[in-house]
Each structure stands twice: as structure tokens, then as C-alpha cells.
Amino acid sequence: MDRYFLTTAIYYINDRPHLGSVSETIAADFLARYQRKLGKQVLFSTGTDEHSQKVERTALALGQPVEQYTQEAAASWKALFDKLEISYSRFIRTTDADHIRVVQEIFQKLYDQGDIYKGSYDGWYCVKDEAFLLESDLVDGKCPHCGLEVQHVSEINYFFRLSKYQDALLAWYEQHPDFVQPQMRYNELVNVMRGGLRDVSVSRSTVKWGIPVPFDTDQTVYVWFDALINYATVAGYGTDRFAVDWPPDLHLIGKDITRFHGIIWPAMLMALNAPLPKHIFAHGFWNFEGEKMSKSLGNVVDPSALIASLSNLIGIDEPMAVDTLRYYLSREGTYGLDVDFSSQRLLLRFNTDLANDLGNLLNRTLNMFGKFRPQITGYPLEPKPALSELFTTTVAAVSSDYGSLQFSAGLEKTWMLINVLNKMIEDDKPWALARDGNGEALATHLATLLTGIWYIANMIEPCMPTVSSRILTAIRRSQVPWGALQWRGPGAELPESTSTVLFPRVQPDQLEEFLAAQATRKTVPGTGTPSPEPPRTESGLISIDDVTKLQLRVATILEAERVPKTDKLIQLHVKVGSEERTIVAGIGKHYDPAVLIGKQIVIVANLQPRSLRGITSQGMLLAASAGDEMALLTPMSPIPDGAEIH
Ligand code: MSP
């Protein structure tokens, strides 16, 4: 059986988990589940980085013995990962006995072979980043990464001969152009190496909370040297298993720790004569209102609090709220780049993608099975052959997206299938088929829906395991490996239940309540920390900050139809870049729906969704009016939809 070894960074436990930190493990879990669906045997590790000066200081500040502090903190990280359905094979703690043994063994070996030597360090140290810094690295005397004060450190310690591996590393990069992804991170690292590598300090004489250097008990191993080795511990370094499990297929990390993973770690492995990891992928950051989430800014989003409030607000159980969060994190933005967290966008995704598109498809299908069952008895339950190719090619395309960590693109394609099925219900008009006694066509219609939903439930499993299994239970079909998805009928087992409302839609007043609760408390969910006051100006004028709050974008109208029983409202289905939305607009007295199709318009893309005549409108279009006249705003020349208006 093919194997796949995937790791996340291990988390410092001096801070509570925030949305940014858990997003990495959720992305890794998505990938791990997908690899399992491909039939691979997956080794997937995540865990906690427990030594270091800052952990020692945090425990001291709380008046707790550091062992007790780390024990409790690690347990709470692990409990959160379990709640988030992280299917890790090993939750590694750097205080685990096997890890301590491996770190000491490696330190000794590198010392014995001359790759580690004793020297003296005189320079700067950033406790927040646990990083040694040169005078020339500092910006205004502060840490170039976090901007905090640095400590002057002058101590005898041990150095790793990084400089010796500079040429070998550069050659490796040249021969493996996809070693580090995305490309910009690869380029950054090559530039750093071309600038010259210095030997790095790998022990501390003033930090007690660390793994003792085996041959010099006055020193502890530098936390990064200790932490990087966790990957080797997971693969059983020093045992027979290492030959089987090593090297990792992928180290998934954030963009802030690429030098440790892309330079120091490969050099350590070269010194150990061990194969290098196949790939390193450095993702971007989840920000809050454009700023990096950090405790000092008071803008961290607490995942547990967010899950609890989602669950209370919408009335779904916690596993469903977890899947909603997993979906949002995977669907929003391009993986690798920075993304801004917005609770509004989270609820919008819930209402449109989950409740409207997926939830409705399932409900309508189950309801029809309940109603029309007698009429299809005796007819073959075979899905429409015409859709076979679309489903088969989409499965292949989604597979390639997931495999290259383009989670959002893969989900978007899956949603295209959901929308094809929803549209098929409109086109086939199954209630008319039932009324006319056309049992055969009705059976084909329902078999197509069931087969399509079976595909979709399987394709979303890596992202939303609970939703996937609940849908499969409802339609009485099973989870299958990726390669076993075949366009064939449902067999004898038909759904029994007539309705399963997986995603109750968020009503506008609930949405307002959720957003208002955050606005009036002026806190980020779960932190209790005030967020900054919005800027104010005098005399009714608005500031540039107010203008930049508006996200205006170009959209192309795909479909337009009158909302029944009104002459004013038109329901538009528009495309905004890679996304499709429904917008209800009061332009019915001025425009005929037919003339709107294909036109480009300007929409407010970040408006709270609202319900108009039972239809959720996801944005507002811009139109000029004077007296009885109205004109839609449109770009002067065609431009790709999704384009932003500045
Ligand atoms: N302990 C080190 C890693 C050692 S790995 C051998 C560390 N820990 S951390 O807790 O600070 O960060 C862990 C991971 O979370 C890193 O990959 C980091 O990039 C990621 N994230 C931290 N904040 C993040 C966001 N706001 N958004 C996305 N990921 C972020 O560094």
C-alpha cells in the first residue's frame, strides 16, 4: 500500500490556540483524509512544542510548576484538535520520552562527527520568536519579525555547522524546484542562502526548561533544534520503522517559519545522512481586519468560542458547527496566501453554500423520495448517462486540486456539481412528471440525484467528515475510496427518511443578532478583549477608512427572472470571479430580465445577506436614479468579473 507522511508545525503552548493556528492543522487534516481516500496509508502528525524560554516564563508568571503547566496546556490543545475532528496518527509532545531520547541521540551524533562544536554567542535573542538575531537583523533595535524588544545574550553554547552545508543546500534547491512551495517562498530561501549561511547556536546555558545536552548538563538544547527533530521522532528515528516511514511527503508550515524548515532542518538531515522531506508548503496567515492575529493586538479569534456561538445561533450541534468552520477555512481564499477572517462571510457561506445549495439539494431529494416512491416502483433506477462525463471529469479535477492544496478550487468545482443538480430539478420539473404519471422519467431523475449526492458526499469528506457521513446515512449509501466513485445507480437500498434538515438557514434577525453581539461588545468572539473604536470624522463626512470598507466588484449576470407576485423585484444569479451569488434587486419596473443576461454590473460584495420574499440576497447592485428614470452602473469596457473597483 502506498504511504503518505504529512506533518504540521508543532504549537507553542504558552498561548491558547487561535483560529490561525488551528487552520494549519485543519488544512493538514483535509489533505490527510484525501490521501486516505486515495487508498494510501497515512502517517499524520501534529502536536505541541513545549520547551523554551517563553513557556518557562508563562508557567512562572502563573505560579505553576512548568511540568504541570505544559501537561494541562498540551491536554487542552489535544482536546481541541479532537473536537475539530483532526485525524492525526500521532499527537507528539516534545516532552514525550521517545522524543527526548531522539533529540539527545542526534545531538550526540552530530557532536561526535564534528557538525556541532562549542563556541561563544554574543548577540541578540527574541523570546517571542525564540530566535537568535544578529545586530544587522534588528529594526530600530527591535525584533524584525514581531517588533518586540530583544534581549542581549552573551553565553557559551554549542553551534551547528550550517555554513558547511550551504553549497549542498543550494544544489538541492536547484535540482528540486518544487521542494518549497509556493514559488515565492522558494525564491526567498534561495536568496537567503546565496547571501551566505552562518553557523547557528543550538543550545542555551541560561534556559533550564529544555532537553539537557547529553554530554554537558549545564546546557539545554535550543528549542528550535529540539522542535524540528519531532518529525524524525514521529517516524521512529533510531528504530527499524524509520527506514519505512521516513522521509515525509509534506511538511505543512506557515510562512513565518520557512528558514527553520527550508534551511536549518534540511542541513541537519544532510548531516545525519537522512533523506530530505519531499515537499515543504508554507501557507499564509489568517488575519483579522487586515492585521495578523496576535494576543498583544487583542484580535485573536478563539475557535472553541466561535464553534459554540455558531452552534447556539444556528441551532446545529457542535460537530456540524465544526464542519461549518472547516468548510469556511478551506473555501475562503487561495491556500498559501493571507486571508481575512470575517464572521459575516462565515455566515454567508453557511447560508448560501451549505443551507441553500447543499442542504436544499438533499432536502428536496429526500422529500421527493418520500412522496414519489410508489410512482417509481418497478422502473430502473439508473442515473442519466448524459451527466456521467461531467461527474467523472470533475472528480478528476477536484482530485488534482486537493492534491496540490488548492482546497478552495476543489470545493468550488464540487459546488458546481451541486448547482447542476439543483438546476436539473428546476428543468426536469419532477412534480410535473409525477402528476403526468411519467414513472420512468421520474425514476431516472431521482436516481441521478441520489448518485450525484453520493459523489458529492464522498468528495466533501476530507473537508466536512460529519456532514459527509450524515448525508450518506440519509441516502443509505457508503463512503468509498476516491477511485470507486462510479456513475451507477443506487441499488436496492433507497432512502427512507423524508427530510433531514442538516443546515437550518440563518434568518436575517439571527444574523443581525450575531453581528450585533460582536459589535456592541466590541470584542472578538471568545476573547473578551475590546477591539479598536472605528475612526470618526466631523460634519457627516466620511473618512477614507469608511470608503475602503465597501467592497465594490464587477459581476456578470448569468440568469435573471422576476420574483413571483411582484413587479419590482428581479432575482439575479451573478458570477463574481470564481464565485456565484444570488442578488434580489428592485429594478423590475425599469428592466426586462431577458435584457440583463450577460451584462456586467457593479455590486457591493460585502453587504450582510438579507432575505427578500424568502430569497437570500447576497449583495446589492449599483444603479443611478433620477425621478422615474433608472440606469444600472456598468463598466465602460468588458473586464473579468470579480474585478475590484477602487
Ligand atoms: N513551535 C514553532 C513551530 C515548530 S515546528 C518544528 C511555532 N509555533 S507557533 O505556535 O507559533 O506556530 C505554529 C504554526 O501556526 C506555524 O506554522 C505558524 O505559521 C502557524 N500560525 C500561527 N499564526 C497563524 C495565523 N494567524 N494564520 C495561519 N497560521 C498561523 O512557530
Side-chain angles (χ1 to χ4, degrees), residues 161-175 190 193-197 263 267 270 276:
R161 245 180 248 288
L162 181 62
S163 57
K164 176 175 154 190
Y165 294 95
Q166 175 172 326
D167 294 343
L169 281 170
L170 274 167
W172 177 268
Y173 269 72
E174 226 162 76
Q175 289 152 15
V190 168
M193 288 184 282
R194 287 204 181 122
L197 296 178
I263 299 179
M270 283 177 176
L276 264 49

Side-chain angles (χ1 to χ4, degrees), residues 313-468:
L313 167 82
I314 311 174
I316 49 179
D317 60 15
E318 284 217 336
M320 291 296 286
V322 164
D323 274 14
T324 302
L325 179 62
R326 288 176 61 116
Y327 176 73
Y328 168 74
L329 292 174
S330 315
R331 179 71 181 81
E332 203 79 348
T334 302
Y335 200 62
L337 304 179
D338 287 0
V339 202
D340 217 40
F341 174 78
S342 143
S343 39
Q344 218 163 312
R345 297 274 312 151
L346 169 60
L347 292 184
L348 184 68
R349 288 259 173 234
F350 178 85
N351 255 8
T352 53
D353 302 3
L354 299 180
N356 270 6
D357 299 343
L358 178 59
N360 260 347
L361 176 65
L362 182 68
N363 292 341
R364 289 157 105 188
T365 303
L366 294 176
N367 279 331
M368 284 195 273
F369 263 97
K371 275 204 200 103
F372 303 147
R373 203 182 180 95
Q375 301 182 50
I376 57 169
T377 311
Y379 291 105
L381 279 170
E382 284 306 323
K384 291 182 187 179
L387 287 182
S388 167
E389 195 185 329
L390 175 70
F391 273 77
T392 314
T393 53
T394 308
V395 164
V398 169
S399 186
S400 133
D401 287 335
Y402 285 0
S404 54
L405 284 80
Q406 294 308 306
F407 305 117
S408 180
L411 291 169
E412 187 184 342
K413 292 190 181 82
T414 310
W415 253 254
M416 186 269 294
L417 295 180
I418 293 175
N419 290 329
V420 163
L421 294 180
N422 272 326
K423 178 143 191 323
M424 184 188 81
I425 301 180
E426 306 302 325
D427 294 345
D428 285 2
K429 302 190 174 42
W431 45 93
L433 296 177
R435 188 192 55 215
D436 300 344
N438 194 344
E440 188 173 356
L442 195 56
T444 307
H445 177 82
L446 292 178
T448 307
L449 288 174
L450 273 194
T451 311
I453 293 174
W454 174 61
Y455 264 69
I456 289 156
N458 271 281
M459 291 161 79
I460 61 174
E461 189 276 341
C463 179
M464 293 188 283
T466 297
V467 170
S468 167

Side-chain angles (χ1 to χ4, degrees), residues 8-16 18-25 47-51 54 77 94 128-130 223-231 251-258 260-261 265 281-288 291-294 300 335 337-339:
T8 71
I10 49 173
Y11 300 91
Y12 288 129
I13 47 168
N14 58 306
D15 274 343
R16 283 165 49 78
H18 62 66
L19 195 76
S21 39
V22 302
S23 70
E24 180 176 306
T25 301
T48 42
D49 191 356
E50 303 187 13
H51 296 118
K54 62 182 177 186
W77 276 85
T94 51
K128 164 106 189 350
D129 290 323
E130 297 290 355
V223 61
W224 266 103
F225 191 85
D226 158 357
L228 288 164
I229 290 174
N230 93 82
Y231 304 128
H251 284 317
L252 187 63
I253 55 165
K255 62 179 184 180
D256 54 332
I257 54 175
T258 52
F260 292 104
H261 284 81
W265 178 229
F281 188 97
H283 59 74
F285 272 11
W286 275 91
N287 293 332
F288 190 82
E291 294 200 85
K292 185 181 165 185
M293 280 184 203
S294 86
V300 289
Y335 200 62
L337 304 179
D338 287 0
V339 202

